[in-house]
Amino acid sequence: MPPVPDNATDGPVFELRDVRKTYHVRDGAWRRRPLHAVDGVSLTVNRSEVLGIVGESGSGKTTLAKLMLGLTQPTSGDALLHGRSMETIDRRQVSREVQFVFQDPYSSLNPSRSIEDAVAHPLRLHGMGSRLEQLKRAHDLLDLVGLPKRTHAAFPGQLSGGQRQRVVIARALSLRPGALICDEPTSALDVSVQAQILNLLHDLRKELKLTYVFISHNLEVMEHIAENIAVVYRGKIVEYGPKAEIFENAQKPYTRRLLASAMTVAPGAGIPRLEALPTAR
Ligand SMILES: Nc1ncnc2c1ncn2[C@@H]1O[C@H](COP(=O)(O)OP(=O)(O)OP(=O)(O)O)[C@@H](O)[C@H]1O
Ligand SMILES: [Mg+2]
């Protein structure tokens, strides 16, 4: 399998072509019914772009993220990374190109592995450098994400939620990926810490010229970080465009309701299903 060439940076980083992901969910005791978690989505994310994905709970955002990471395969259509079908790319190669930061920094770290070990672990798995070099890189990354030296040999249980998410981010950067997919990366954190993590992600992106796919229900987050926004509803992209356009001139009633409702929910609560909102009809 040839590696993704270095010059594969001009075209889109991510591309979904008419992708559908269908699950068969239980419907009563015996029957199952198809559920299209993602339903005919096409989109591209170019190098250094920040795409924000918003949508109500259950609309298919995380499924989109998993498709772009190759963690799940499309039922139909094609998910491409640097122009190559995800299915044909070796898993290890994918993880050098794209990494993810998910919501919960508590469950994403092994409690019995020290912080520096957690960050060095991907380097070890990929056989990159000597043990000493791996540790050095782990320390550099922990410095980069703003974790004080005294935490480097600590264990996840000794850190706060915000500190753990910094560790997760450092680990995600260890293989020098070009792209990061962040799925509600701050919603499990205290409000006071959320801004710090967002600022960190914002700064890292500039410093390392990363491509981001950023999933959040929090509009302030999108305002801060996204360039283009895709609004998903029941597995489909119902609105897509530059951030300013979506914010100022949302075309669809769904988007307007989403924008209005998202501003009223408590941080971390996720976007409620619109049916549950008095304004949704
Ligand atoms: N592995 C699975 N098996 C069956 N159904 C699934 C599976 N994963 C997701 N779904 C369903 O697909 C739909 C989309 O789920 P998804 O997790 O992508 O939504 P989401 O937009 O990320 O929601 P949230 O904002 O709550 O995180 C939901 O109806 C969900 O129940
Ligand atoms: Mg989700």
Side-chain angles (χ1 to χ4, degrees):
M1 179 61 53
V4 175
D6 282 343
N7 62 5
T9 49
D10 291 341
V13 177
F14 299 106
E15 194 175 353
L16 298 181
R17 291 185 188 156
D18 198 17
V19 166
R20 177 179 269 187
K21 179 70 189 182
T22 307
Y23 292 112
H24 292 275
V25 295
R26 203 174 276 282
D27 187 18
W30 306 103
R31 282 181 309 166
R32 284 176 175 270
R33 68 178 170 85
L35 183 146
H36 305 304
V38 169
D39 194 2
V41 164
S42 298
L43 62 80
T44 56
V45 185
N46 291 315
R47 191 168 138 77
S48 302
E49 178 183 336
V50 184
L51 173 71
I53 298 181
V54 290
E56 64 173 333
S57 183
S59 56
K61 304 182 298 293
T62 296
T63 309
L64 277 173
K66 287 182 176 167
L67 287 161
M68 286 192 236
L69 282 159
L71 293 178
T72 189
Q73 299 304 326
T75 309
S76 64
D78 231 348
L80 302 118
L81 179 66
H82 289 298
R84 288 170 51 192
S85 176
M86 203 53 117
E87 280 172 88
T88 68
I89 313 176
D90 176 62
R91 211 38 261 152
R92 288 159 63 87
Q93 182 69 36
V94 173
S95 58
R96 287 187 205 182
E97 299 291 328
V98 45
Q99 281 286 329
F100 57 86
V101 176
F102 282 171
Q103 178 172 354
D104 187 1
Y106 295 92
S107 60
S108 6
L109 291 170
N110 180 340
S112 59
R113 185 172 286 154
S114 73
I115 300 311
E116 56 195 11
D117 265 357
V119 178
H121 190 63
L123 298 167
R124 220 166 290 144
L125 285 179
H126 285 251
M128 288 178 165
S130 67
R131 240 187 133 70
L132 214 62
E133 287 164 340
Q134 290 162 357
L135 210 57
K136 166 87 171 60
R137 171 128 179 89
H139 290 161
D140 289 348
L141 283 161
L142 289 167
D143 287 341
L144 181 71
V145 301
L147 279 167
K149 295 256 184 290
R150 63 187 152 74
T151 62
H152 293 189
F155 288 83
Q158 299 169 280
L159 301 189
S160 70
Q163 287 176 323
R164 289 186 211 198
Q165 200 62 313
R166 286 176 194 268
V167 177
V168 170
I169 293 167
R171 183 181 60 184
L173 295 173
S174 63
L175 297 173
R176 302 180 198 277
L180 221 51
I181 295 189
C182 304
D183 188 356
E184 302 271 12
T186 62
S187 59
L189 303 175
D190 287 348
V191 183
S192 57
V193 183
Q194 291 186 2
Q196 294 170 15
I197 297 296
L198 288 172
N199 285 335
L200 171 66
L201 287 167
H202 191 71
D203 294 346
L204 288 172
R205 187 218 154 203
K206 276 202 265 175
E207 196 166 331
L208 306 174
K209 298 189 172 59
L210 294 163
T211 306
Y212 276 180
V213 174
F214 215 94
I215 296 172
S216 176
H217 66 274
N218 187 320
L219 279 185
E220 279 179 66
V221 171
M222 287 299 176
E223 186 119 54
H224 193 60
I225 211 157
E227 290 167 343
N228 292 315
I229 290 185
V231 180
V232 289
Y233 178 60
R234 296 191 180 172
K236 293 184 195 299
I237 292 184
V238 293
E239 200 149 6
Y240 172 80
K243 170 176 62 181
E245 226 167 79
I246 302 283
F247 272 88
E248 287 159 26
N249 189 24
Q251 298 296 316
K252 298 264 183 351
Y254 170 73
T255 309
R256 288 203 291 268
R257 286 205 302 267
L258 198 60
L259 299 186
S261 68
M263 281 190 274
T264 62
V265 296
I271 295 181
R273 295 199 75 87
L274 289 179
E275 288 81 355
L277 292 166
T279 49
R281 270 231 212 102

